[in-house]
Amino acid sequence: MFANYLKTALRNLLRNKLFSLINIAGLAIGLAAFILITLFVRDEFSWDSHWDGAGDIYHLENTYTRPEQPDRPSPNAVDPLKDIFLETFREVEDITRYMDAEVTIRKEGELFSQRALFADDNLFAFFGFNFIEGSPEAALSQLSNVVISERTAQKYFADQAALGKPISFRVGGEFRDFYVSGVVENPRDNSVVVHDFIVPFNREYFVGARWFTEDWRFALRQTFVRFAAGTNMAMIRAELPGLVERHLPKGQDGMETGRTWSMVLSLVGIEDVHLYGNGSNGDPDVLYGFLAVALLILVIAVVNFLNLSMARTAHRAREVSMRKVLGASRSQILQQFLCESVLLSLISLVIALALVELALPYYNEFLSSLVQMDLMGDPALLAALLALGIGVGLSAGSLHAGYFAMLAPRDVLYSNTSPDAGTAGLRAGLVVAQFSISVALMIIAFFVNQQTDYARQLDLGFEADDLIVVSGANGDQSETFKQRLLASPYVTSVGRSSDVPTEGSEDRLNIRPLTGGEPVMLDGLPIGPDFFKAYQIKLLAGRYLSDSAADILRKREANPTYKESANIVINAAGAKMLGFQTPDEAIGQVMPTDLSSNLRIGATIVGVVDDFHFDSARDVIRPGIYYVDQLRQSDMSVRIDGANREAAIAHIETAWRETFPDSLLNYRVMTDMVAQQYQTDNRLGNILTVFTTLAVAISCMGLYGLASFTAERRTKEIGIRKVLGAGFSDIIRLLLWQFSKPILFANLLAWPAAFYFLNDWLNSFAYRIDLAVLPFFLIGALALAVGWLTVIGHAWLVARSNPITALRHE
C-alpha cells in the first residue's frame, strides 16, 4: 500500500512541475532559514552544559546598591564570601575562584600576550578537567606551576612534550619562571571558563593585599559554587539578603563599607552565565526574537504549501472521487495525501540541509559565531531535523488531506465540476497570514536598523575618530612614554584616565548639593590634564585641569597621599544635579566631596564641560566629576593624524618598545569600541533584514503559484468578459485587485503588531528614534507593489489571450 502511495505521489509531483518546484523551493528556503536560526540559538543556550554536574554549579555574583542611585552589577564576588558560604550552607560541596589577567610571556627573546587565570588549587577537581599530561592532584601544588591547554602547548612548544618545560612571564612587576605541570584539553568555544593558561593564585602578585582579604569593596574574582544534588536553591537564595546583612562590615576600622551602600548577591546557574550573568555576552531577548523570526518564516513556508495545495483541489477532486467510487476509504485518501506532503517535505529538507551546509561559513562570519552542524556526530540533532521534516509535511498536508477525505464523490461527478467555493476564502485568508507576517517583519527590520544607525551616529559629546586607546602604561615610565608619543608629528594629543568611554567607570563620589540636604552621587573619573583635549570635549565654563599643584589630588611619589583639597571639573549634568542654574554659577564653588567613608576633600569647581556619552545610547548620561590622580591613569587615549594613520600607529609601537621593552603593546580603536556596544542590536538588524527578505521571497513564490492557478481557473470567465466588451486594462485591474485585497488587509493586521513590538524594544534606549507613520505606509505600499510585480505576468498573459481559445470547445 505504501509503495502505491509513493508511486502516486511521485507521478503527481512530475506531472505538476510548476507546483512541485514552487512548493519544494519555498519549503526548502523556509526550512533552511529555520535551521540556520535555531542552530545559532541552540548554540547560545548550550554554553557550559558540558561540565560534569553542570546543573549543580552556580556562579556567585555581586551587585552593589545605593539608595536612589543606579545599581552597579559585577560578575565577580568579594573574597570573604567563600568562607562565609562554607560555614553557612551545609549544602555547599565545594567553591573555586579565579581571576583573569593579561600577562606577557617571554620565550627565546620573543614576547607573547597571554590571557592567564590565577586560580585556586581545586579548580581542576571542581570542573573535572581532562588532563593530557600530568595529573589534577599536583597540577597547582606549587606556586611555580602552570597548567596549559593543548593549543597553548602547541603554540609555545610545537610538537615537544610540554610537561616540566619552563615558561617565563611577567607577573607582580617582574618576569618569573614557571614550569608546566599539566596539559589539559582545549576549552570549548561555548564556555565562560577559558582555561588556556592557569597558574596558582598568589595575592603577593597584586598590589593592595586587602583587596583579596577583608575588603568588600573589591569584587575581583570569579566564584563558582557546587551544591549537593537536589538542593533547594529557592531556599538558598532566600537566605542571601540576611547573609549580607550579618556579614557586611558597617564602616568600622576605617573600611569603606556598609555605611551608605549595600550588596545584593545572586547565584546564576553556570549554564545561564553567558546569557543571564552580570557580565553576560549575549542577550536572551534577542535570541527569543531570532527564534520568533525562525518560526514565522517556517509558518510562511507551511502556509505557502497549504495555499498552493488548496488551490489545486479542483485538479485532484475527480481523481479522489473516482478512487472513492472504486472503493477507497477515507483513511486511505488521508494517508495518500499525507504521504505526498511528507515526501515533498523530506525532499525539501534534504535541499535545505545542503543550503545550510553551503551557507554556514558565510553565516558564521555574518553573525561572528561558530555554529556547526555535525549530523553524524550529533544523533539528537539528526533526529530533531528528521522529526521537523515529517512534522512540517504532516502539518502542511493535513488540511487538504482532510478536505479530500471528507469530499463527497457525487458533488464532483454529478456536476462534472469541483466545489471550490469553500476553499477560496481559506486561500485568501492564508495570503493575508503570509503577508501580515512579511509586512510586520519588514517594518521591524526597517526601524531596528534605523535605531542602530541612530545610536552609532549619535553625537557622543566627544570625537571618537582617530583615537587610539593604550592600556598598561601607568607605571613610573608613564610620563616618558607620553613624551615619546608627542614627539611624533602624527600624534596631536595624549589624554590619560583610569577608564575610557564604552568601558564604564567604577568610581562613585558623594557630594552635598548647593541647596543642602542629602549627598548626591556623581560618577568619578581620575584623569590627566590632557584628557578633555584628546577627546575634544567642549568647555562650557571656566577652564580645563592642568599640571599645577592645585589641580592634582594625588601625586605619583614614594608615599602617595590624597590632599585635603584640589580643583575639579564637572559635566553639565553634574552641575544641574548640584543645584547650579548655569555652568558659570558653578565656577569657584567649593563642594565637600567624599572619596571614601573617612576621606573628605574640599573640591573647587574650576570648569564645567559639556555632557558626553561614557556608555551606550541605552543609558542616560550620568552626572560626572573629573579630577587628577596620577596613580590612577592606566589608559592613554592617543589622538592621531587620521591622514597618516599607519605611520602614527607605527610610532606608537616604537615608543612602546623603547619605554616598555618587556611588555607587549595593547591598544584599541575607539570607533571599534563604540561600534562594539551595538553589536547585539546590529546583529538583530542584520538577521531581520536577511531573513525578512527570505520571508518575502517565499510569500511571493506562493503568490506566483496561486496567480498561475487562478489565471488558469478564470480563463473561461475572462474570455466571456472580453466577448462582452471588457478591455485589456479592465482585465488587468480585475486580476490585480483580486490579489491586492488580501495584501491591503494584511497591512492592517501587521501595523499594530509591529508598532507594539517596536515601541517596547525602543523603550530600552535612553536615546531613541520616534516611530513615524510614513514608513508604515511606504512599506505597506512596497508590499503591495511586490505583490503586483509577482502576479502581473500572469495577468498580462490572460488579458492578451484570444477569447476563442478559451470558448471554442463550448
Side-chain angles (χ1 to χ4, degrees):
M1 184 65 71
F2 178 77
N4 184 51
Y5 293 156
L6 185 60
K7 287 180 182 178
T8 304
L10 289 173
R11 286 170 183 166
N12 275 294
L13 290 178
L14 294 175
R15 186 182 301 119
N16 301 282
K17 294 182 177 61
L18 178 63
F19 164 81
S20 303
L21 177 63
I22 293 176
N23 255 347
I24 290 173
L27 265 183
I29 294 172
L31 285 168
F34 179 83
I35 293 168
L36 282 170
I37 296 176
T38 51
L39 282 175
F40 172 70
V41 174
R42 174 178 180 252
D43 180 73
E44 287 291 289
F45 277 106
S46 66
W47 277 56
D48 289 294
S49 59
H50 61 283
W51 300 114
D52 292 338
D56 299 318
I57 299 175
Y58 291 83
H59 192 231
L60 181 59
E61 301 179 344
N62 290 358
T63 297
Y64 294 99
T65 62
R66 201 176 191 109
E68 299 180 3
Q69 299 294 341
D71 293 342
R72 293 170 53 196
S74 169
N76 303 327
V78 296
D79 267 36
L81 288 173
K82 177 178 180 178
D83 292 337
I84 292 172
F85 260 63
L86 290 171
E87 293 170 2
T88 304
F89 302 113
R90 66 177 183 276
E91 297 89 349
V92 173
E93 293 185 340
D94 202 3
I95 297 178
T96 194
R97 302 168 299 185
Y98 66 78
M99 67 174 292
D100 58 348
E102 201 77 26
V103 299
T104 299
I105 291 180
R106 183 172 61 193
K107 189 175 189 301
E108 299 177 357
E110 190 174 356
L111 299 180
F112 302 89
S113 180
Q114 180 68 56
R115 201 70 179 171
L117 300 187
F118 294 87
D120 290 344
D121 57 9
N122 66 335
L123 181 76
F124 304 112
F126 185 94
F127 285 106
F129 282 53
N130 292 321
F131 273 71
I132 309 301
E133 298 181 45
S135 64
E137 293 78 19
L140 298 182
S141 58
Q142 304 293 326
L143 288 178
S144 59
N145 287 357
V146 59
V147 176
I148 59 179
S149 65
E150 289 180 274
R151 63 191 182 193
T152 307
Q154 179 66 28
K155 176 181 177 181
Y156 295 120
F157 302 108
D159 296 326
Q160 302 177 19
L163 201 64
K165 292 290 191 345
I167 294 182
S168 179
F169 63 89
R170 188 181 184 87
V171 62
E174 61 181 279
F175 277 94
R176 304 169 189 255
D177 287 332
F178 289 76
Y179 298 88
V180 177
S181 59
V183 178
V184 296
E185 288 183 351
N186 291 330
R188 298 199 183 186
D189 294 321
N190 59 345
S191 176
V192 297
V193 184
V194 184
H195 52 272
D196 280 309
F197 198 90
I198 308 168
V199 294
F201 177 79
N202 181 358
R203 79 181 202 180
E204 301 304 323
Y205 297 155
F206 306 98
V207 178
R210 72 175 188 152
W211 289 2
F212 303 102
T213 53
E214 75 279 5
D215 201 318
W216 288 62
R217 291 177 304 161
F218 303 103
L220 299 173
R221 288 205 260 184
Q222 303 260 4
T223 302
F224 293 89
V225 185
R226 182 187 294 279
F227 289 89
T231 297
N232 187 334
M233 294 307 299
M235 292 182 61
I236 297 292
R237 290 187 172 100
E239 294 186 42
L240 294 180
L243 182 147
V244 172
E245 180 63 27
R246 291 193 304 271
H247 294 280
L248 181 68
K250 300 300 188 292
Q252 66 266 27
D253 301 325
M255 289 183 59
E256 306 168 24
T257 55
R259 191 168 64 93
T260 58
W261 62 269
S262 187
M263 175 187 295
V264 174
L265 300 180
S266 55
L267 287 165
V268 182
I270 191 171
E271 296 170 289
D272 297 328
V273 171
H274 171 62
L275 294 178
Y276 296 97
N278 285 344
S280 63
N281 297 315
D283 187 338
D285 290 337
V286 170
L287 294 179
Y288 287 125
F290 286 176
L291 203 55
V293 171
L295 289 171
L296 290 174
I297 291 176
L298 188 61
V299 167
I300 288 176
V302 171
V303 167
N304 192 58
F305 178 96
L306 184 58
N307 212 354
L308 290 176
S309 298
M310 296 306 296
R312 296 187 65 250
T313 54
H315 294 265
R316 303 292 300 273
R318 293 188 66 191
E319 171 198 337
V320 172
S321 298
M322 289 301 299
R323 283 179 178 272
K324 285 190 172 186
V325 168
L326 295 174
S329 66
R330 288 182 177 179
S331 63
Q332 288 175 324
I333 298 297
L334 192 68
Q335 291 171 25
Q336 175 192 338
F337 282 94
L338 289 179
C339 179
E340 289 185 16
S341 298
V342 170
L343 175 64
L344 193 147
S345 178
L346 291 177
I347 293 172
S348 301
L349 178 62
V350 172
I351 297 173
L353 292 176
L355 293 174
V356 169
E357 197 65 41
L358 291 172
L360 269 179
Y362 309 99
Y363 184 67
N364 282 326
E365 183 179 356
F366 180 67
L367 290 181
S368 302
S369 61
L370 293 170
V371 176
Q372 296 178 341
M373 185 178 67
D374 182 10
L375 296 181
M376 296 300 102
D378 192 347
L381 177 61
L382 181 60
L385 290 174
L386 185 60
L388 172 67
I390 295 173
V392 166
L394 292 175
S395 60
S398 58
L399 190 60
H400 73 280
Y403 172 82
F404 283 125
M406 300 301 295
L407 185 67
R410 69 173 183 273
D411 293 338
V412 178
L413 300 178
Y414 180 76
S415 63
N416 201 31
T417 60
S418 171
D420 189 43
T423 63
L426 176 61
R427 292 200 304 271
L430 293 175
V431 171
V432 169
Q434 277 186 309
F435 274 88
S436 294
I437 296 171
S438 299
V439 170
L441 288 176
M442 290 168 69
I443 293 171
I444 291 170
F446 173 81
F447 280 105
V448 166
N449 283 296
Q450 286 288 304
Q451 173 61 30
T452 305
D453 290 341
Y454 173 80
R456 282 200 299 257
Q457 298 170 15
L458 185 68
D459 182 5
L460 301 173
F462 67 88
E463 184 56 55
D465 293 338
D466 304 324
L467 262 183
I468 306 294
V469 178
V470 179
S471 295
N474 196 32
D476 296 335
Q477 296 297 311
S478 175
E479 186 62 27
T480 302
F481 178 56
K482 177 183 176 181
Q483 295 306 319
R484 282 176 173 161
L485 290 175
L486 291 172
S488 169
Y490 308 129
V491 174
T492 58
S493 59
V494 178
R496 286 180 281 190
S497 58
S498 66
D499 301 285
V500 293
T502 76
E503 295 185 344
S505 61
E506 291 299 321
D507 285 12
R508 305 290 188 271
L509 307 183
N510 285 329
I511 304 180
R512 193 170 298 278
L514 186 69
T515 54
E518 290 297 317
V520 295
M521 187 167 66
L522 277 69
D523 279 18
L525 182 67
I527 63 170
D530 294 332
F531 175 82
F532 297 116
K533 178 182 177 183
Y535 279 84
Q536 297 182 1
I537 296 172
K538 183 180 178 182
L539 184 68
L540 300 181
R543 64 174 177 84
Y544 294 124
L545 296 171
S546 68
D547 282 320
S548 66
D551 287 356
I552 300 175
L553 179 60
R554 186 169 59 160
K555 290 185 177 181
R556 185 183 299 280
E557 52 191 11
N559 296 302
T561 58
Y562 288 104
K563 295 183 348 184
E564 294 182 356
S565 63
N567 294 329
I568 63 168
V569 167
I570 59 176
N571 64 1
K576 184 177 180 180
M577 176 175 276
L578 293 174
F580 300 108
Q581 299 299 315
T582 64
D584 290 310
E585 289 183 14
I587 303 304
Q589 297 290 334
V590 179
M591 312 298 294
T593 303
D594 293 341
L595 292 182
S596 67
S597 62
N598 62 346
L599 180 58
R600 175 172 294 180
I601 65 167
T604 303
I605 301 173
V606 297
V608 178
V609 295
D610 201 1
D611 291 333
F612 64 96
H613 286 270
F614 214 84
D615 301 297
S616 75
R618 292 185 182 274
D619 304 301
V620 177
I621 295 176
R622 294 193 291 263
I625 173 174
Y626 314 99
Y627 55 95
V628 177
D629 182 348
Q630 294 182 343
L631 266 67
R632 299 185 59 198
Q633 298 177 0
S634 56
D635 288 321
M636 280 195 178
S637 301
V638 185
R639 180 159 296 281
I640 63 174
D641 177 6
N644 296 279
R645 183 182 182 83
E646 293 183 3
I649 292 177
H651 176 76
I652 294 173
E653 293 172 342
T654 300
W656 180 271
R657 286 194 299 269
E658 292 174 351
T659 312
F660 307 104
D662 293 334
S663 298
L664 282 175
L665 174 64
N666 177 25
Y667 74 86
R668 289 98 72 205
V669 179
M670 180 54 69
T671 50
D672 294 340
M673 295 162 67
V674 172
Q676 184 70 22
Q677 296 180 109
Y678 308 106
Q679 182 180 19
T680 300
D681 300 306
N682 191 49
R683 176 185 285 176
L684 175 61
N686 288 339
I687 202 167
L688 275 173
T689 300
V690 170
F691 289 106
T692 296
T693 303
L694 290 178
V696 173
I698 295 170
S699 298
C700 289
M701 290 172 66
L703 194 63
Y704 179 85
L706 198 59
S708 174
F709 287 114
T710 299
E712 181 182 342
R713 291 292 305 276
R714 300 188 70 174
T715 300
K716 187 183 299 183
E717 172 199 338
I718 291 170
I720 295 173
R721 286 179 179 271
K722 295 181 73 173
V723 168
L724 295 176
F728 175 79
S729 60
D730 297 321
I731 302 301
I732 291 289
R733 282 197 300 269
L734 173 71
L735 293 174
L736 289 183
W737 178 241
Q738 177 185 354
F739 292 102
S740 298
K741 288 185 288 185
I743 296 176
L744 291 172
F745 188 65
N747 276 277
L748 298 179
L749 296 178
W751 292 352
F755 180 86
Y756 177 81
F757 171 85
L758 285 166
N759 193 55
D760 183 65
W761 180 73
L762 287 170
N763 282 337
S764 66
F765 290 86
Y767 303 90
R768 49 162 285 184
I769 60 174
D770 294 323
L771 287 174
V773 175
L774 182 60
F776 284 77
F777 283 101
L778 292 178
I779 292 172
L782 176 63
L784 184 61
V786 168
W788 282 357
L789 289 174
T790 304
V791 303
I792 192 68
H794 291 301
W796 175 274
L797 291 175
V798 172
R800 288 183 58 86
S801 63
N802 191 332
I804 295 176
T805 305
L807 301 176
R808 63 184 176 183
H809 68 277
E810 295 291 343

